[in-house]
Amino acid sequence: MILGTSTQQLPIISPPEWEERGYSDAADAVAALKRLYDQGTGFLRDKFSAVMKGAQIEGRYRAHYPEVSITTTTYAKVDSRLSFGHVAEPGRYAATITNPTLFEGYLTEQLGLLLQNHGVEIRVKMSETPIPVHFAMGSDDTIEGTIEDNLDLPLRDVFDVPDLTTTDDQIVNGAAVPQADGTRPLAPFTAQRVDYSLARLAHYTATKPEYFQNLVLFTNYQFYMDEFLAFAQAQVADPASGYTALVEPGNVVTTAKGTTGDPLTKTPQMPTYHLMRDKSAGITMVNIGVGPSNAKTITDHIAVLRPHAWLMLGHCAGLRNSQSLGDYVLAHAYVREDHVLDDDLPVWVPIPALAEVQVAMEQAVAEVTSLTGYELKKVMRTGTVATIDNRNWELRDQSGPVQRLSQSRAIALDMESATIAANGFRFRVPYGTLLCVSDKPLHGELKLPGMATAFYKRQVSQHLEIGIRALESLREMPLERLHSRKLRSFEETAFL
């Protein structure tokens, strides 16, 4: 990504000015955001297309993101149980907005809460943040060649390009400072930060951002993806299921009427499937592969879509002699030795278990296994999960790692769970972890090829069913209860 300013003194050419306006209806405010955004991105696409076709450059082409804001002079009197939908104290709060069509439901809901809780109008205007030409392109646009083939100037001299100074996580990390006029953030992400992640999601998963659902499952094995695909196909074929479509990598869409699109010839880095439902209430499942880096990467980007919950389903090393292969581990605490989030979320920050998610997962295990009470404890243990960044930790001197694991009371070890939970905590996305013991390296129990095949056939289907049932249970929970205050800090953005 390019940083820097233009060295060419070209006149700036922009779409017509748009006068700031106030709105007392959330839908009207969102409609205004859409008009302003479409005007800006349409302008950039038209100018870029003309330049690529050889048109004479008239100047530097620039459009700006729309901005939404509120100004309040009083403290809001709101339900103290509500963790979002209001600002902390009097002042001006603003957010740059991108792709308001994709976020229409979210924006309408969040702005509606502000109107309800503060009784002040919503203001919409053009912001000071330019839209990078990269992010103005449609998801189906195909660009051949480069702009440098058509002129002697770099792209950044004619169009604005992504700027890392507006693409960071200062807001969600609690490090944002008010603007010079005292304006504070209204939303957890800036428009460029959102656009960056939308582009990355399409790249890593080979599916469009609009297909992502509000409930997300992560796994570190393709076995789970194969099982999810079979489950999803059956759900789409059943008109009583409530699920409307299945989207596969390459944006292949299957409904009860048939399939459109062509399967990919090459597998994306993180294969993703979307079992769709009205209002994005379905389930997205992502194979993140192995390691905390992948886990952080994908959750960094999915977070901008503001999902309602994400869960990790994967395999782990059981650390207790009393565990058996195939037993479940419900994480209620995490030892973080993944290191990928150390700069964003210090390791001294506790990552709490969320009661709503824990109860949903434990109930799902009980329902699927038909076990309750003390019998359930035979197949599921609640405890601390340790996540490390060294897959071959067994090859090191064991005195250090084993002592730390014992002191932490860890019962399982993996490479992704704490990362996903920590990023859920950081991004205020409810999270949970249910792992399945696949080996016991401290006790000499490693999977042999035949054992592994039988284990996967027997356990993966049940494990996935548990995860799906847990998410379906969370889907029925009121949003204000699921997004509890446990994930909110002293001074939060009004937007969820």
Side-chain angles (χ1 to χ4, degrees):
M1 194 159 290
I2 304 170
L3 283 174
T5 57
S6 170
T7 58
Q8 303 293 321
Q9 300 301 314
L10 297 175
I12 294 177
I13 300 175
S14 298
E17 289 291 331
W18 205 89
E19 183 181 352
E20 180 176 355
R21 300 169 193 174
Y23 298 89
S24 58
D25 181 83
D28 291 343
V30 174
L33 290 169
K34 291 166 67 174
R35 288 194 298 271
L36 188 52
Y37 177 79
D38 290 345
Q39 172 186 283
T41 54
F43 169 83
L44 291 175
R45 286 196 300 271
D46 289 345
K47 294 302 182 182
F48 185 83
S49 176
V51 169
M52 291 295 284
K53 292 176 181 177
Q56 182 178 357
I57 295 176
E58 306 162 297
R60 181 180 180 83
Y61 302 112
R62 170 171 291 168
H64 296 82
Y65 287 108
E67 178 187 279
V68 63
S69 69
I70 68 164
T71 300
T72 177
T73 58
T74 62
Y75 288 89
K77 292 184 178 181
V78 297
D79 188 334
S80 62
R81 295 169 296 181
L82 189 63
S83 65
F84 58 94
H86 55 88
V87 297
E89 58 186 44
R92 183 177 186 273
Y93 299 79
T96 51
I97 301 296
T98 187
N99 209 329
T101 297
L102 173 63
F103 292 99
E104 183 171 5
Y106 167 76
L107 290 170
T108 303
E109 177 185 57
Q110 301 302 307
L111 293 177
L113 287 171
L114 287 174
L115 288 167
Q116 173 184 314
N117 292 326
H118 290 280
V120 296
E121 65 180 4
I122 303 295
R123 306 291 297 181
V124 174
K125 71 170 188 175
M126 185 181 296
S127 76
E128 298 298 320
T129 304
I131 303 174
V133 68
H134 307 68
F135 299 151
M137 299 300 165
S139 58
D140 295 321
D141 290 342
T142 300
I143 301 171
E144 297 182 0
T146 65
I147 195 171
E148 285 83 359
D149 295 334
N150 295 12
L151 69 163
D152 296 328
L153 296 174
L155 174 65
R156 64 180 179 272
D157 285 340
V158 184
F159 294 93
D160 289 293
V161 297
D163 180 358
L164 293 184
T165 62
T166 62
T167 317
D168 56 42
D169 280 330
Q170 285 192 359
I171 301 174
V172 291
N173 285 348
V177 296
Q179 298 175 21
D181 64 356
T183 298
R184 285 176 284 185
L186 186 64
F189 300 104
T190 63
Q192 276 207 43
R193 170 66 172 85
V194 173
D195 270 337
Y196 173 77
S197 283
L198 296 181
R200 293 291 84 196
L201 283 175
H203 171 74
Y204 287 121
T205 71
T207 56
K208 295 179 181 179
E210 52 260 40
Y211 291 133
F212 277 77
Q213 302 296 286
N214 285 328
L215 303 170
V216 185
L217 285 174
F218 298 108
T219 188
N220 51 10
Y221 275 95
Q222 184 61 33
F223 302 100
Y224 286 84
M225 306 304 294
D226 296 339
E227 196 70 30
F228 182 77
L229 178 60
F231 169 81
Q233 290 170 336
Q235 295 299 301
V236 171
D238 179 5
S241 72
Y243 294 104
T244 58
L246 167 66
V247 180
E248 304 176 49
N251 301 305
V252 177
V253 181
T254 299
T255 67
K257 297 181 179 180
T259 301
T260 59
D262 299 317
L264 293 177
T265 57
K266 295 182 179 180
T267 303
Q269 184 170 344
M270 299 188 199
T272 300
Y273 296 83
H274 311 280
L275 179 55
M276 300 185 68
R277 198 178 181 97
D278 288 346
K279 299 182 179 179
S280 301
I283 300 172
T284 287
M285 189 161 192
V286 187
N287 181 359
I288 60 176
V290 176
S293 179
N294 279 358
K296 178 183 183 299
T297 295
I298 198 64
T299 49
D300 278 349
H301 301 315
I302 292 179
V304 305
L305 297 173
R306 309 315 293 142
H308 297 327
W310 60 41
L311 303 180
M312 174 66 190
L313 299 182
H315 292 165
C316 65
L319 301 178
R320 302 302 180 92
N321 195 42
S322 57
Q323 293 170 301
S324 299
L325 301 187
D327 283 356
Y328 294 116
V329 173
L330 177 58
H332 75 178
Y334 300 90
V335 173
R336 295 169 51 202
E337 293 195 5
D338 51 336
H339 300 302
V340 292
L341 281 167
D342 289 0
D343 292 335
D344 295 299
L345 193 69
V347 293
W348 52 259
V349 175
I351 309 300
L354 305 181
E356 297 81 4
V357 178
Q358 298 296 97
V359 170
M361 289 198 289
E362 183 169 353
Q363 288 179 342
V365 175
E367 292 172 6
V368 173
T369 62
S370 299
L371 298 173
T372 59
Y374 191 68
E375 291 301 310
L376 184 61
K377 293 182 179 292
K378 288 185 177 180
V379 300
M380 186 187 75
R381 186 161 180 173
T382 301
T384 298
V385 170
T387 292
I388 60 172
D389 58 1
N390 179 11
R391 177 60 187 87
N392 297 318
W393 64 277
E394 301 98 328
L395 304 183
R396 297 182 60 195
D397 175 15
Q398 293 302 298
S399 59
V402 172
Q403 182 181 9
R404 292 198 304 277
L405 292 172
S406 178
Q407 288 176 325
S408 69
R409 311 300 193 265
I411 63 171
L413 182 73
D414 82 340
M415 296 188 68
E416 300 87 19
S417 292
T419 309
I420 288 174
N423 241 7
F425 179 88
R426 184 165 74 103
F427 292 128
R428 289 75 164 169
V429 176
Y431 52 85
T433 298
L434 183 70
L435 303 176
C436 185
V437 176
S438 60
D439 61 346
K440 296 170 60 181
L442 295 183
H443 309 283
E445 291 191 42
L446 304 178
K447 293 190 299 290
L448 297 174
M451 293 169 55
T453 301
F455 169 79
Y456 292 137
K457 286 182 178 179
R458 179 183 72 253
Q459 207 67 20
V460 167
S461 177
Q462 184 185 82
H463 194 186
L464 178 63
E465 184 181 356
I466 292 168
I468 290 171
R469 286 207 187 187
L471 285 181
E472 290 180 331
S473 174
L474 294 172
R475 181 171 60 212
E476 303 304 318
M477 189 175 296
L479 196 60
E480 59 271 16
R481 180 182 169 196
L482 181 58
H483 287 272
S484 71
R485 293 169 296 177
K486 289 188 288 292
L487 295 181
R488 311 288 277 184
S489 60
F490 294 163
E491 184 174 337
E492 283 288 334
T493 61
F495 281 16
L496 183 64

